[in-house]
Amino acid sequence: MKPARLAVLAIALVAGGGAAYLMSGEEAPPPAPASAPAVAMTDVLVAAADLPVGQTLKAQDLRWQPWPDQALTAGYITRSAVPKGLEDASGSIIRTSFLANEPIRTEKLVKAGSGFMSAILPSGMRAVAIEIAKGGSSSAGGFVLPNDHVDVISISVAKAGPGGSSEQPVQTAQTLLTDIRVLAVGQVVQERNGETVVTGETATLALTPAQAETVTLAQKVGSISLVLRSILDTGKANDTASAEPAPETALTVVRFGVAQKQLRK
């Protein structure tokens, strides 16, 4: 073999060995990341859609949904603990509204047959049902709904003049209570001559004991009308100042057809 060819072969061998050495010195590719550990899940009973207050639950209103174990609380209904939780909850009345996919909690439900009104009534308050004119004429045109806030107006008829000497009757209206929460609105159903008829409408209000006395007395001496308040005015005092005593500190007494207000002592 000629010396020139030997020199070329030697150069090629040296170049190949250098390349192999350089390649052996490169860092190995990083290992593939390990997969994240699986999150433990438990089936939880949730609302299948938005559920309002007072609705009676049906099977289609509920469903089981996987829920992370780390996010479970003691109030949730789980399939492992209560396999028939969906069937047991069906037929209950909703005490507090649910949003879609919100877990169902037993304290927000009222079993069928128990007192629903007493369940939604705040502590210290009284539920008083008042009869209003049929057709909604005295209930803001029929637009008063549960959880609305209203003013309560008493309408009475008295004879004009001191001592009621005049024969011409005079109707008077007086705002008894303001910013009162409506718990329920329904109809009065009675039987007459063997037939079921609707004789009027009722509105159930959440009142303090003193307010309940005032409204009960007003119903005896006249009629009651409800005035719907804006939702923006809920919890606010009236814009107009009144020199009349507070509703809870005054009573309207009718003697011989003349209405008089007396302060509660």
Side-chain angles (χ1 to χ4, degrees):
M1 185 177 290
K2 296 183 179 180
R5 292 183 177 180
L6 291 175
V8 172
L9 180 59
I11 293 173
L13 291 174
V14 172
Y21 174 78
L22 292 175
M23 292 180 63
S24 64
E26 291 182 356
E27 295 183 358
S35 59
V39 177
M41 307 288 282
T42 299
D43 285 346
V44 171
L45 190 65
V46 302
D50 293 347
L51 302 176
V53 175
Q55 177 174 325
T56 300
L57 285 177
K58 300 179 181 178
Q60 56 266 32
D61 297 327
L62 307 170
R63 64 184 178 86
W64 295 105
Q65 176 173 301
W67 204 267
D69 286 356
Q70 294 181 348
L72 291 177
T73 65
Y76 292 174
I77 301 174
T78 62
R79 178 178 283 180
S80 57
V82 189
K84 295 185 177 180
L86 191 151
E87 292 80 1
D88 294 342
S90 299
S92 299
I93 301 174
I94 300 174
R95 179 180 179 181
T96 305
S97 60
F98 290 94
L99 297 177
N101 300 321
E102 179 182 351
I104 301 296
R105 302 175 69 97
T106 54
E107 61 266 25
K108 292 186 176 183
L109 303 178
V110 180
K111 287 294 183 181
S114 60
F116 169 68
M117 189 61 66
S118 61
I120 66 174
L121 189 64
S123 176
M125 303 297 284
R126 306 291 185 268
V128 178
I130 64 172
E131 186 171 354
I132 54 182
K134 184 177 179 180
S137 60
S138 62
S139 59
F143 289 102
V144 173
L145 299 175
N147 290 323
D148 281 340
H149 285 244
V150 298
D151 292 344
V152 181
I153 296 179
S154 172
I155 301 175
S156 59
V157 179
K159 293 183 179 180
S165 57
S166 175
E167 295 296 332
Q168 181 65 31
V170 176
Q171 291 187 342
T172 60
Q174 177 187 5
T175 300
L176 297 179
L177 307 172
T178 60
D179 199 13
I180 299 299
R181 179 190 172 195
V182 179
L183 297 176
V185 177
Q187 294 180 330
V188 180
V189 180
Q190 296 180 349
E191 287 191 5
R192 290 183 179 178
N193 300 325
E195 296 182 356
T196 301
V197 296
V198 177
T199 59
E201 295 182 350
T202 62
T204 304
L205 310 179
L207 305 175
T208 64
Q211 290 173 337
E213 294 177 5
T214 302
V215 170
T216 301
L217 178 60
Q219 290 188 95
K220 294 295 183 181
V221 300
S223 60
I224 294 293
S225 183
L226 304 181
V227 180
L228 183 64
R229 295 174 65 96
S230 167
I231 191 173
L232 300 178
D233 294 335
T234 301
K236 294 182 180 180
N238 291 339
D239 295 334
T240 57
S242 176
E244 298 292 335
E248 295 190 24
T249 61
L251 290 175
T252 300
V253 180
V254 177
R255 291 189 178 93
F256 306 106
V258 179
Q260 296 179 343
K261 181 168 290 186
Q262 294 182 352
L263 294 179
R264 183 189 302 276
K265 298 180 179 180

